[in-house]
Amino acid sequence: MSKPRDSLSSLMKLTLSLSIFTSLALLLLHIKPAPQQYTNKNFIKFLHQTPQDAHPERPIQRQTDTNISHIVFGIGGTAKNWKYRSRYTEVWWQSNVTRGFAWLDEPLNLTESSTRSFIPVRVSEDTSRFKFTCSYGSRSAVRIARIVLESFKLGMEDVRWFVMGDDDTVFFMENLVDLLSKYDHNQMVYIGGNSESVEQDVIHSYGMAYGGGGFAISYPLAKELVPVLDGCIDRYHYFFGSDERVGACVAEIGVRTIHEPGFHQVDIRGSAYGLLSAHPTTPLVSLHHLDYVEPLIPNKTREDSLRALHRAYKRDPARALQKSVCYDLQRNWSVSVSWGYTVQIHSRLITAKELLTPLQTFRSWRSWSEGPFTFNTREESDDTCEREIRYFVSDVEGDGEGHSTSSVYKRFDEGEREGCGDGAVVPKSVDVAAVKMDPLEWIKFKAPRRHCCEVINEHEEETESSVLQVRIRKCKLGESLTLPPEIS
Ligand SMILES: *[C@@H]1O[C@H](CO)[C@@H](O)[C@H](O)[C@H]1NC(C)=O
Ligand SMILES: *[C@@H]1O[C@H](CO)[C@@H](O)[C@H](O)[C@H]1NC(C)=O
Ligand SMILES: *[C@@H]1O[C@H](CO)[C@@H](O)[C@H](O)[C@H]1NC(C)=O
Ligand SMILES: *[C@@H]1O[C@H](CO)[C@@H](O)[C@H](O)[C@H]1NC(C)=O
Ligand SMILES: *[C@@H]1O[C@H](CO)[C@@H](O)[C@H](O)[C@H]1NC(C)=O
């Protein structure tokens, strides 16, 4: 031992300029010198010994892609509301394919709800022994927080993810599966979304995944969570929500929340139109609170408009609500498509930055105020003439992902536009917008880029055509939404 030490101290005496050779020499000699100033034996042992409980990571096995069968859903609901609320689950649940349960507070009255048995129902364990002291909350938060535990204890085979949702959460299954595939289910992972209303995030937490938008917990995280959950729920008796409790317990374990912008808690009041017509460039994963916002499509019921959106979604899941913007420079129109949902024609040229900012057609969740929200919004004009003309999806044809689709959107006028000045300004006679989507590869999560679009019939006189034809295609090299200099 003394030999290397000696050679070390002599090396130390060399000038700074030679220090690089020092490290090189040490490397070549495989010498591990202990820091001179610490000679305590225990300390040296501590530095160089691997503790017995520091197990090396399990080697990662090659796994098949994540599919719908690897997910177990836990939907929180009540027997009283199930008949009514289950119509949301019914839209996305695939009988005998989707795995999981609706967890209710008491058994269903079967005489009443036999038609709603498409999703298996279970009654949650009794939670009256738990502490609950939140004066403005409901005790059911404790029961619902435990769904992940009760689901885990069922010991189902081949589970990679537990996904929690409310009885009024609508999941967009293909996109959810794709999203989860992006993450390593062999690690502890916790994914979900935030509340749109800042007041909610301030009161509850920015750091958690909101339960109404739904969240996913990987199997290894659930396994870690289950033994500590009950104690943790009891300690956080003063919290409001079930999701807040789960979020706090996950935080104690030390796993961070991954926020994915495709989850939508929809903590807003009024119309979700502005939010959904400016969806971020990422696949739609969930919607929530549809009973609390206006129907997604005017003049349709809540249920019918959700079904219309969901039908379009099924034709091309990843591209539902994805936005494309293009200009008709002959007529000075800005055209914006939120695929499968809405087309907007603005009778002036508007920058992309503005068009991509959600129109504030809504208010905040708790106090019904004008904001703030966790994203920027722009004001909706009070003057009908200044507003864009909105078209809503009526028909989609095509056979899904990567293939071409045609979709048709019908005009909805909120008010009279007769007095809106010169006819040239307002696209009066366009009743229908037709959108042709090229067969396109879209790198959904890894490097998403908006698709480009173009107005096909821009040279026609407006009166000659009542259909605006739009083509969505891959952007060309160097293409961007740049307006002519005299406008911008
Ligand atoms: C999902 O993958 C598993 C293999 O991990 C396979 O056994 C199962 O059949 C697949 N399910 C579906 C619906 O594709
Ligand atoms: C689901 O499976 C059950 C039992 O195998 C069967 O009776 C039922 O018809 C199936 N439902 C659907 C929608 O396939
Ligand atoms: C179940 O529904 C039937 C028919 O609506 C009603 O007569 C009965 O009282 C209900 N039972 C319970 C336990 O709610
Ligand atoms: C479009 O806008 C430009 C610039 O403001 C203007 O010169 C042109 O006349 C407009 N064209 C129509 C058809 O309104
Ligand atoms: C909305 O529905 C009403 C009644 O069905 C109908 O009279 C009206 O024209 C519709 N409005 C639009 C803009 O489609």
Side-chain angles (χ1 to χ4, degrees):
M1 274 312 274
S2 67
K3 202 101 203 243
R5 279 258 169 86
D6 288 345
S7 64
L8 171 68
S9 43
S10 55
L11 275 169
M12 289 293 195
K13 284 174 193 147
L14 291 178
T15 57
L16 244 170
S17 62
L18 277 173
S19 64
I20 180 145
F21 297 106
T22 313
S23 7
L24 255 179
L26 286 172
L27 261 178
L28 290 171
L29 292 166
H30 296 287
I31 294 168
K32 267 202 216 155
Q36 288 293 311
Q37 63 270 49
Y38 301 116
T39 49
N40 179 304
K41 275 205 184 103
N42 281 336
F43 181 79
I44 290 167
K45 199 172 145 199
F46 169 75
L47 279 185
H48 296 289
Q49 257 189 2
T50 305
Q52 279 179 350
D53 57 353
H55 302 298
E57 297 274 318
R58 256 189 309 149
I60 294 168
Q61 302 151 353
R62 270 200 77 79
Q63 292 271 7
T64 55
D65 284 348
T66 292
N67 65 44
I68 188 170
S69 322
H70 295 121
I71 303 175
V72 169
F73 286 88
I75 305 301
T78 58
K80 186 167 151 271
N81 291 336
W82 184 245
K83 187 181 176 189
Y84 172 73
R85 282 289 182 84
S86 62
R87 72 202 202 288
Y88 285 120
T89 318
E90 203 172 9
V91 171
W92 60 271
W93 191 273
Q94 298 166 37
S95 290
N96 294 351
V97 176
T98 314
R99 298 206 291 164
F101 301 92
W103 296 86
L104 307 182
D105 51 348
E106 47 187 294
L108 278 178
N109 187 343
L110 281 178
T111 39
E112 254 186 327
S113 43
S114 49
T115 54
R116 300 285 187 190
S117 56
F118 59 93
I119 155 168
V121 164
R122 281 182 178 250
V123 177
S124 303
E125 286 168 14
D126 177 36
T127 52
S128 52
R129 68 192 144 96
F130 287 88
K131 228 168 137 184
F132 183 85
T133 58
C134 180
S135 59
Y136 58 100
S138 153
R139 199 161 225 297
S140 63
V142 171
R143 178 177 72 80
I144 291 168
R146 294 183 77 253
I147 289 178
V148 61
L149 177 150
E150 291 196 53
S151 303
F152 185 88
K153 288 204 312 200
L154 295 176
M156 294 165 81
E157 295 271 292
D158 219 2
V159 180
R160 296 186 183 180
W161 298 94
F162 293 95
V163 172
M164 305 296 126
D166 284 353
D167 53 4
D168 59 342
T169 306
V170 177
F171 284 109
F172 293 82
M173 189 69 86
E174 291 76 2
N175 291 347
L176 175 66
V177 170
D178 277 356
L179 175 85
L180 296 180
S181 318
K182 194 176 80 155
Y183 294 96
D184 184 353
H185 62 272
N186 292 306
Q187 307 297 322
M188 291 187 221
V189 189
Y190 172 51
I191 311 173
N194 248 334
S195 172
E196 291 81 358
S197 288
V198 164
E199 60 193 19
Q200 289 290 95
D201 293 313
V202 169
I203 294 170
H204 303 297
S205 167
Y206 275 102
M208 71 194 221
Y210 279 69
F215 58 85
I217 284 184
S218 66
Y219 187 90
L221 177 56
K223 195 172 170 194
E224 198 71 11
L225 191 58
V226 160
V228 297
L229 192 71
D230 280 348
C232 176
I233 286 176
D234 234 4
R235 277 183 284 115
Y236 290 106
H237 55 87
Y238 47 89
F239 275 174
F240 172 82
S242 57
D243 46 3
E244 216 173 343
R245 287 171 167 74
V246 173
C249 306
V250 169
E252 289 193 355
I253 291 170
V255 172
R256 83 168 171 114
T257 316
I258 296 172
H259 282 133
E260 277 282 355
F263 288 94
H264 298 284
Q265 168 79 4
V266 193
D267 270 350
I268 52 175
R269 309 278 184 170
S271 165
Y273 182 77
L275 182 68
L276 301 187
S277 56
H279 195 268
T281 309
T282 192
L284 168 68
V285 174
S286 71
L287 289 177
H288 176 233
H289 274 163
L290 295 181
D291 276 344
Y292 298 90
V293 289
E294 288 163 20
L296 300 179
I297 300 179
N299 252 19
K300 274 195 195 300
T301 63
R302 292 191 163 83
E303 207 172 333
D304 287 348
S305 42
L306 172 62
R307 285 190 185 275
L309 173 64
H310 199 262
R311 260 198 309 278
Y313 157 81
K314 286 299 257 185
R315 291 290 185 188
D316 196 352
R319 273 183 284 257
L321 296 190
Q322 296 307 302
K323 187 132 170 139
S324 290
V325 170
C326 42
Y327 300 114
D328 178 338
L329 294 175
Q330 255 75 34
R331 292 179 286 196
N332 287 350
W333 289 355
S334 306
V335 175
S336 154
V337 179
S338 301
W339 190 86
Y341 178 48
T342 184
V343 172
Q344 305 170 330
I345 305 180
H346 305 74
S347 52
R348 61 194 174 94
L349 297 176
I350 304 174
T351 61
K353 178 79 177 72
E354 192 177 332
L355 288 174
L356 299 173
T357 304
L359 263 180
Q360 200 189 311
T361 57
F362 43 81
R363 287 169 170 258
S364 71
W365 176 254
R366 175 176 288 260
S367 63
W368 298 66
S369 38
E370 296 289 349
F373 300 98
T374 49
F375 44 84
N376 299 110
T377 57
R378 65 194 157 104
E379 218 176 302
E380 196 180 25
S381 172
D382 289 334
D383 181 356
T384 314
C385 301
E386 302 232 313
R387 291 193 188 179
E388 74 284 356
I389 296 186
R390 299 175 185 176
Y391 300 77
F392 290 90
V393 68
S394 68
D395 199 21
V396 182
E397 278 171 24
D399 56 357
E401 215 159 316
H403 296 95
S404 109
T405 55
S406 308
S407 42
V408 176
Y409 305 78
K410 289 212 176 112
R411 177 166 174 154
F412 179 83
D413 277 312
E414 299 160 285
E416 213 36 77
R417 282 183 195 251
E418 285 308 317
C420 287
D422 204 332
V425 190
V426 182
K428 267 194 194 134
S429 67
V430 179
D431 298 323
V432 171
V435 175
K436 187 95 186 149
M437 171 85 80
D438 281 10
L440 293 170
E441 280 297 328
W442 185 39
I443 319 285
K444 287 169 248 186
F445 292 105
K446 288 185 180 139
R449 181 191 179 179
R450 257 194 340 274
H451 286 318
C452 287
C453 65
E454 57 189 89
V455 177
I456 302 294
N457 53 341
E458 61 182 345
H459 301 292
E460 289 171 32
E461 284 296 312
E462 200 204 322
T463 46
E464 287 173 11
S465 170
S466 68
V467 177
L468 180 84
Q469 296 167 28
V470 178
R471 175 184 168 215
I472 298 182
R473 55 164 175 75
K474 200 172 166 183
C475 296
K476 296 169 190 159
L477 277 180
E479 185 169 8
S480 75
L481 292 168
T482 311
L483 284 170
E486 66 269 21
I487 290 161
S488 45

